[in-house]
Amino acid sequence: MNTQEFIKIEDDYFINTFTRQPIVLDHGEGVKVTDIDGNEYLDMFAGIAVNALGHNHPALVKAIQDQAEKLIHISSIYYNEPALIYAKKLVEKTSFDRIFYANSGAEANEGAIKLAVKYTGKSEVISTVESFHGRTIMTLAATGHEHYHEPFKAILPEGFINVPYNDIDAIKEAITENTAAIIVEPIQGEGGVNVPDNDYLKQIEELCHENNIVFIVDEVQTGFGRCGTLFAHELFDVKPDIMTMAKGIGGGVPMGGILATEKVASAFVPGDHGTTFGGGPLVCAAANAVLDTLDEENILDNVNEVGDYFIEELKKLDKEIIADVRGKGLMVGIELTEPGAEYVDKFREAGFLINCTAGNVLRFVPPLIITKDDIDEFVKALDEIL
Ligand SMILES: *Cc1c(COP(=O)(O)O)cnc(C)c1O
């Protein structure tokens, strides 16, 4: 079958939820992916900031292969070694005390909000405009995009208040005696790679402490080295009560999780929350391989070095169409003075996979193993295309 025939299968049989790029990807190696026609692309998107180690990383592939031969699934009713080892390892690297395994970012956020509500006995949640927290009904309510809410207004839960991002006064005004939680991304991803002021998260932390509100950071996109520290909230010197994660956690296997402090975590007792797949041996073996490889290959150093270089090189480009260059580590955006969608096609045709978010922000979230040479190749192409 050729690409057009494959795409027709999608048109005929899929529920229509995605605007896809018209290529069928076949295999990948490092920062490159190849489609079924043999066209090679430099992957500046990494499956929406997921493939932290790139494609076909030997440590990740081996971990999955070895674990698949032993056990793939047993349910949450029994213990499994990879999940236990991973929990200890990850908790010891953070300021949190306990973990819950989920299967996606939305599911992690859903659980985090349930935990905050149970812990506080309150029912309001403050989140930010242009945020993205997921597609389930509750996380949709937390997601600050009116047009995502619109078709489902009738069944969205009450108590979710979206306030402008990076505006501490807006949060102050939204707090009531019924506020259970404030949930924010340390750097907004889908919203357009929005980096807040240095003291924004610290001020939220203080407001949460003063008002006995649970401080939730959604690190689904920013976590696992994406922004140059293991988790992006570390950049802002805060200790949230709950953190959610997914995307990069398993290097591509579907997985999510919640970390919480002892105090907040203690609100859950058996029966309050659960999952069939979460924390299974296969995904946890993958997650162990990702976390170990981040250390062994000093990947955070690479993120900082290459990320800083990338942003510097982009800032050197002197072009009318570039309104702003921003980001942290390898989460980088260029805001254009016009819509960006057609540029995504131009880049693809030139052999580069990128993404456009928030209408006019070209977003680059490549594998964390990308090199300066790859960046040079990309920036040269970008200079020509823009
Ligand atoms: C992608 C994303 C989610 C949703 O994750 P899914 O795995 O698609 O459910 C939630 N929060 C943030 C910040 C994200 O980037």
Side-chain angles (χ1 to χ4, degrees), residues 131-148:
S131 63
F132 189 83
H133 299 297
R135 302 282 190 172
T136 61
I137 289 299
M138 192 164 70
T139 60
L140 193 61
T143 291
H145 284 273
E146 266 305 307
H147 76 276
Y148 291 156

Side-chain angles (χ1 to χ4, degrees), residues 104-107 109 132-135 185 190 218 220-221 246-247:
S104 67
E107 202 193 328
N109 284 329
F132 189 83
H133 299 297
R135 302 282 190 172
E185 294 155 86
E190 307 301 304
D218 177 344
V220 168
Q221 188 158 156
K247 293 200 164 87

Side-chain angles (χ1 to χ4, degrees), residues 323-355:
D324 192 24
V325 172
R326 55 184 181 248
K328 190 74 201 148
L330 286 169
M331 183 162 165
V332 178
I334 294 184
E335 186 180 324
L336 301 180
T337 54
E338 57 178 74
E342 72 174 86
Y343 289 99
V344 176
D345 296 329
K346 288 186 180 155
F347 276 93
R348 188 187 63 253
E349 283 153 14
F352 301 91
L353 301 187
I354 68 159
N355 163 256

Side-chain angles (χ1 to χ4, degrees), residues 195-251:
V195 185
D197 293 342
N198 270 330
D199 58 354
Y200 180 57
L201 292 183
K202 195 80 199 168
Q203 288 178 303
I204 295 178
E205 180 180 52
E206 280 162 15
L207 284 175
C208 286
H209 285 173
E210 284 162 19
N211 297 283
N212 200 23
I213 294 167
V214 175
F215 178 23
I216 306 174
V217 284
D218 177 344
E219 294 244 20
V220 168
Q221 188 158 156
T222 49
F224 296 96
R226 175 59 52 196
C227 300
T229 45
L230 188 57
F231 294 103
H233 71 268
E234 296 164 28
L235 294 167
F236 302 99
D237 192 29
V238 290
K239 291 195 167 78
D241 301 299
I242 301 180
M243 176 178 79
T244 58
M245 46 202 176
K247 293 200 164 87
I249 188 171

